[in-house]
Amino acid sequence: MIKFDNVGFRYETGPEILSDISFELAAGSYHFLTGPSGAGKTSLMSLMYLGHRPTRGSLHMFEHNVGFLPRERLFEIRQKIGIVFQDFRLMNHLTAFDNVALPLRILKRPEKEIRNNVTELLDWVGLGESKDRLPPTLSGGQQQRIAIARAIIARPRLLLADEPTGNLDDTIGFRLMGLFDQLNKMGTTIVIATHNTHIMELFGHPRLILAHGRLTQETRQGPITQKIRNVS
Amino acid sequence: MSVKRPPFYVKAQEILLRTVLGSKGYDLPFGSDADRGYLLLLVGLMSFLAVLACAGTLSLHAMTQRWSSGLENKITIEIKAEDRDGTMLSPETIRLETEKITEMLQKNPAVKSFEALQEKEIKKLVSPWLGEDFSLEDIPLPGLIAVELNVSSPEALEKLTGSIKKLSPTARVDTHREWLQDILRFTGTLQWIALFVALIVALTTVTAISSGVKSRMAVHKDQVEILHLIGASDKYIARQFQWHAIIIALLGSILGTAAGLGMATFILLLSGQSGTSLIPQISLDSTSMLIFIFLPVIASIISGVTARFTVLRTLSLMP
Ligand SMILES: Nc1ncnc2c1ncn2[C@@H]1O[C@H](COP(=O)(O)OP(=O)(O)OP(=O)(O)O)[C@@H](O)[C@H]1O
Ligand SMILES: [Mg+2]
């Protein structure tokens, strides 16, 4: 589903931030992406959601070589991806409801279906009361939940979440991580960038570790996850 | 703190956008754009100009049509008051020649009707130049005969002119064609100018819409990028700008057209009141009205296409 082959990346004429990145993620997999701040997690994600193109090497997304994909076809791939941006990137003039509805509207789903699904999801993430409010009037954690809802509302085949629980308390954080697990079970491939070792330990998915522009893979399953899974 | 109520066109725009794009209105924050008032005004003024240009052309057209059809089969015969050497003829001679010619006209089958102008009438015609009280004895006046023909073929006219010349060598046959041609040439030029004005109006609208769209794309660069990243195609984004432009143009143009029609009616009313018989009574008929109803539609289409094209082109130049 995702295949990096000796990918290198730099912003304009800046230094190379990612070097010789090679890895492959199978459909239906679930990975944590971690590494120190400034290591390039967000940059790596932006290559996956086609926000930037690799400066060298080849990147395949959904069996398409991104390097050769014409601009006007990028949206087809992006429509299969749900993204939670580290800085949310909500539309500040649209209500919480309309922000979450946006991906469905882009897909031209019927308005009735949109109303039902969006309302249900907003209720689920605890924003049912705030659905008519504009993002700037909401707290960081509330905005983050809108961002997450927007990323998953259209049932993407790939979910890329950049620090999705950074602003959330543990209760709602775990609840959302549980939701991601549910999505994963239904077939969504997931990559979550996070610093949160606690969460990584708890859920124990394999890790992609970025440091000094290079990526290493760690396939260990955390023991705590096993415990939780056994308990529940 | 008092909340400023949005101007009426903002409300109208929002309602229209909601109708077109569904309950959500639009995804980009056009509502906060400062330039839409100007754009509305500009499209309004352009429509206003277009209406005036159109109304001018249409009434000129109606006018020339009436003139040319009214003069088609008419000629005027002038029996000159002096002979070829420049010697003045006595009024008596002129009257005689006029009578000879009218006798001939009476028998000519090509002539439908004719009327020799009486001295009194001729006097009235020249009085603006000569004053009321002069006698024919002082200045000999030409004889004038207005003739209406059954046919207007050049051959028939030539034959008639020949028979007139035989009776009075100095008589002149005036077919009005010359000055009619001058007038037609003049109004033709005016119509070209009107067309040119319409073209400039359209071009100005295109330029303004296009640069407006470009600046709006720059202002909303971040939002456009978000839309892209969450899967919107260039066409989806273009549609937003396109409908926004269409609705601004529609509103602006309806206002401008209404104002232009009001102005045109006013001008026509004034020209009608002046009572000059040279300018026939002109009014706008129902076909012309249809054209004006279509003007806002045309303005909307021009604006929409321009906006769409501009967005797609600008986006296609992005990486
Ligand atoms: N738009 C940009 N232009 C130029 N340099 C950038 C840009 N975005 C990030 N960088 C640089 O790229 C490097 C990696 O940044 P990135 O945001 O990918 O790190 P990160 O791992 O996501 O960090 P964090 O954990 O703090 O989110 C940093 O050195 C940063 O300065
Ligand atoms: Mg980051």
Side-chain angles (χ1 to χ4, degrees):
Chain A
M1 163 154 299
I2 302 173
K3 187 161 171 250
F4 280 70
D5 233 334
N6 274 311
V7 167
F9 176 69
R10 67 175 81 232
Y11 286 100
E12 325 255 281
T13 53
E16 193 162 74
I17 288 156
L18 301 170
S19 306
D20 303 324
I21 306 283
S22 295
F23 67 94
E24 200 170 335
L25 301 184
S29 64
Y30 192 147
H31 289 82
F32 286 125
L33 174 63
T34 187
S37 177
K41 300 184 291 296
T42 301
S43 307
L44 186 69
M45 289 246 174
S46 82
L47 292 180
M48 292 194 261
Y49 62 68
L50 315 181
H52 293 100
R53 302 215 198 195
T55 5
R56 59 189 178 85
S58 80
L59 166 58
H60 284 79
M61 296 291 297
F62 298 94
E63 325 309 333
H64 292 285
N65 188 336
V66 168
F68 295 120
L69 212 60
R71 220 198 92 79
E72 55 272 18
R73 288 198 53 204
L74 295 182
F75 78 95
E76 296 169 23
I77 291 188
R78 286 182 178 137
Q79 285 183 351
K80 298 178 194 164
I81 307 176
I83 318 163
V84 183
F85 298 98
Q86 192 168 13
D87 52 357
F88 314 148
R89 301 215 198 169
L90 300 174
M91 296 283 214
N92 284 339
H93 69 290
L94 293 183
T95 62
F97 181 94
D98 285 333
N99 264 287
V100 177
L102 208 45
L104 296 179
R105 291 196 169 126
I106 287 171
L107 295 172
K108 298 201 169 75
R109 295 282 169 76
E111 200 61 28
K112 187 161 175 260
E113 177 193 326
I114 293 176
R115 202 159 35 246
N116 294 340
N117 291 1
V118 173
T119 310
E120 191 186 349
L121 185 57
L122 278 174
D123 281 340
W124 200 87
V125 299
L127 288 174
E129 306 282 287
S130 315
K131 69 181 170 67
D132 293 325
R133 288 173 61 183
L134 298 177
T137 70
L138 296 170
S139 76
Q142 288 171 320
Q143 291 185 36
Q144 188 152 39
R145 278 178 275 162
I146 298 174
I148 291 169
R150 184 181 68 185
I152 63 179
I153 187 75
R155 302 256 174 128
R157 286 176 56 196
L158 171 65
L159 176 69
L160 302 171
D162 202 346
E163 297 286 354
T165 55
N167 293 283
L168 302 175
D169 62 61
D170 281 353
T171 323
I172 186 82
F174 286 137
R175 198 177 143 115
L176 284 166
M177 291 303 289
L179 178 62
F180 293 161
D181 269 8
Q182 287 293 317
L183 284 172
N184 182 236
K185 285 207 187 87
M186 293 191 298
T188 301
T189 312
I190 296 182
V191 180
I192 292 181
T194 181
H195 294 288
N196 193 327
T197 40
H198 184 48
I199 280 187
M200 283 191 286
E201 289 290 326
L202 203 59
F203 288 85
H205 300 296
R207 298 177 198 181
L208 304 164
I209 302 164
L210 260 184
H212 311 296
R214 307 208 172 240
L215 184 123
T216 46
Q217 248 173 309
E218 207 177 277
T219 45
R220 157 184 82 94
Q221 283 277 104
I224 304 174
T225 317
Q226 294 307 65
K227 245 191 280 171
I228 287 190
R229 289 216 170 125
N230 293 341
V231 169
S232 57
Chain B
M1 207 177 82
S2 70
V3 179
K4 228 180 111 195
R5 284 218 1 238
F8 76 95
Y9 57 83
V10 173
K11 274 262 150 289
Q13 253 168 267
E14 260 155 33
I15 291 166
L16 282 170
L17 270 172
R18 275 212 189 102
T19 323
V20 183
L21 292 175
S23 66
K24 68 187 174 182
Y26 37 94
D27 300 337
L28 291 167
F30 295 132
S32 57
D33 286 354
D35 71 340
R36 62 179 180 177
Y38 299 112
L39 218 54
L40 194 92
L41 185 70
L42 184 119
V43 176
L45 284 175
M46 288 299 124
S47 307
F48 183 80
L49 279 181
V51 167
L52 289 192
C54 259
T57 313
L58 286 170
S59 38
L60 268 182
H61 187 69
M63 208 154 85
T64 50
Q65 203 109 59
R66 246 170 271 189
W67 274 340
S68 31
S69 67
L71 292 173
E72 199 104 289
N73 293 333
K74 288 183 184 149
I75 60 169
T76 308
I77 302 163
E78 180 190 352
I79 297 104
K80 293 229 165 145
E82 51 188 47
D83 67 15
R84 260 179 251 202
D85 312 323
T87 344
M88 291 292 173
L89 298 174
S90 70
E92 197 51 42
T93 325
I94 294 169
R95 200 166 348 199
L96 266 172
E97 289 202 355
T98 309
E99 260 163 37
K100 273 197 277 176
I101 291 174
T102 49
E103 250 168 66
M104 184 272 291
L105 289 174
Q106 200 120 46
K107 284 179 231 147
N108 197 315
V111 175
K112 190 174 170 196
S113 67
F114 66 90
E115 191 194 354
L117 265 67
Q118 299 303 305
E119 266 164 40
K120 243 196 343 219
E121 290 167 299
I122 299 174
K123 237 178 176 175
K124 208 170 137 202
L125 275 176
V126 298
S127 66
W129 292 279
L130 300 177
E132 293 284 0
D133 35 52
F134 68 97
S135 79
L136 277 185
E137 267 63 49
D138 301 338
I139 306 154
L141 285 171
L144 288 175
I145 311 168
V147 184
E148 195 174 343
L149 302 176
N150 285 321
V151 285
S152 66
S153 69
E155 301 88 58
L157 204 66
E158 214 161 295
K159 237 174 94 190
L160 187 66
T161 312
S163 14
I164 293 167
K165 291 269 182 190
K166 247 187 262 161
L167 297 171
S168 162
T170 54
R172 210 170 64 86
V173 178
D174 184 358
T175 56
H176 311 288
R177 234 163 239 178
E178 244 161 72
W179 75 268
L180 188 65
Q181 223 117 56
D182 280 347
I183 292 266
L184 284 180
R185 206 173 303 129
F186 175 64
T187 54
T189 311
L190 284 182
Q191 286 181 354
W192 278 110
I193 290 175
L195 193 75
F196 194 62
V197 168
L199 217 76
I200 288 178
V201 161
L203 221 65
T204 311
T205 310
V206 166
T207 315
I209 295 278
S210 163
S211 69
V213 163
K214 272 188 203 146
S215 79
R216 227 170 295 126
M217 283 184 79
V219 170
H220 304 308
K221 188 170 154 288
D222 292 346
Q223 282 88 356
V224 168
E225 196 192 348
I226 295 173
L227 283 180
H228 263 142
L229 291 179
I230 62 179
S233 60
D234 288 358
K235 279 185 195 151
Y236 181 91
I237 291 163
R239 215 166 76 94
Q240 305 265 322
F241 285 94
Q242 171 194 322
W243 280 110
H244 186 249
I246 285 176
I247 281 162
I248 284 193
L250 192 67
L251 283 176
S253 189
I254 287 174
L255 295 177
T257 305
L261 275 180
M263 187 72 169
T265 316
F266 183 68
I267 291 175
L268 291 182
L269 226 69
L270 278 190
S271 77
Q273 272 177 357
S274 73
T276 41
S277 54
L278 195 61
I279 301 171
Q281 194 63 45
I282 28 183
S283 63
L284 297 168
D285 54 17
S286 49
T287 12
S288 331
M289 280 300 180
L290 261 179
I291 294 177
F292 294 122
I293 288 169
F294 272 114
L295 195 69
V297 178
I298 293 167
S300 309
I301 291 173
I302 289 179
S303 302
V305 169
T306 306
R308 183 179 183 83
F309 185 77
T310 309
V311 173
L312 287 178
R313 185 165 163 70
T314 311
L315 287 179
S316 75
L317 294 176
M318 286 182 176

